[in-house]
């Protein structure tokens, strides 16, 4: 009885890979845009360079 396939998914704004809901994002799932801290940092770095 696995529950993981039923979790909501999003696509990362930086790497365009799908990622699933995590418990630590329970309160802020609507604001989550990146799959990882690394993607968030890289997106900010590219935003500043432009």
């Amino acid at each position: 009885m696995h529950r993981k396939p039923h979790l909501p998914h999003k696509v990362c704004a930086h790497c365009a890979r799908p990622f699933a809901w995590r418990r630590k994002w329970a309160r802020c799932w609507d604001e989550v845009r990146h799959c990882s801290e690394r993607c968030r940092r890289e997106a900010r770095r590219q935003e500043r360079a432009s």
Side-chain angles (χ1 to χ4, degrees):
M1 183 166 161
H2 294 270
R3 297 184 183 179
K4 296 245 180 198
H6 305 294
L7 295 175
H9 287 76
K10 286 188 178 182
V11 176
C12 180
H14 180 69
C15 68
R17 291 183 181 171
F19 64 96
W21 180 90
R22 295 183 190 166
R23 188 175 184 151
K24 69 179 182 177
W25 293 330
R27 293 188 181 132
C28 62
W29 178 241
D30 293 334
E31 292 115 36
V32 174
R33 295 181 53 223
H34 301 96
C35 62
S36 65
E37 189 66 27
R38 181 177 181 178
C39 277
R40 188 184 67 78
R41 260 187 268 127
E42 290 294 323
R44 286 186 58 119
R45 182 187 295 175
Q46 286 181 356
E47 185 179 290
R48 288 181 187 167
S50 297

